[in-house]
Amino acid sequence: MSGLLQAIITPDKKVKCPICGKTAMILNDDTFIRNCQIRCRASRKGLEHYFMLNAGEMEVLKNV
């Protein structure tokens, strides 16, 4: 798993495959994802490729 490339996250929150550039998903503002392995939508039998997604920041719990 350590040899996987990191996803490309554009300013408009689109997640793109670093290998082929195909859009995999669009993130919400409050999204928090760590170490998520994603199979690219452009993958085909025998030509599969995967990438890692790390997005968002962990919010610190605050006392109200």
Side-chain angles (χ1 to χ4, degrees):
M1 233 168 39
S2 62
L4 297 177
L5 297 174
Q6 290 293 320
I8 299 168
I9 302 175
T10 62
D12 58 346
K13 306 270 183 162
K14 290 183 180 177
V15 177
K16 296 189 174 219
C17 175
I19 298 168
C20 68
K22 185 160 180 86
T23 301
M25 66 182 73
I26 299 174
L27 301 174
N28 292 332
D29 291 333
D30 299 332
T31 304
F32 178 77
I33 300 173
R34 286 289 177 254
N35 300 324
C36 181
Q37 181 179 348
I38 299 175
R39 179 183 179 265
C40 181
R41 293 175 50 197
S43 293
R44 299 291 178 249
K45 183 178 179 182
L47 298 173
E48 293 183 334
H49 53 277
Y50 296 85
F51 59 93
M52 292 294 288
L53 175 59
N54 291 303
E57 295 181 14
M58 184 180 290
E59 295 181 19
V60 178
L61 297 176
K62 298 177 183 179
N63 293 332
V64 178

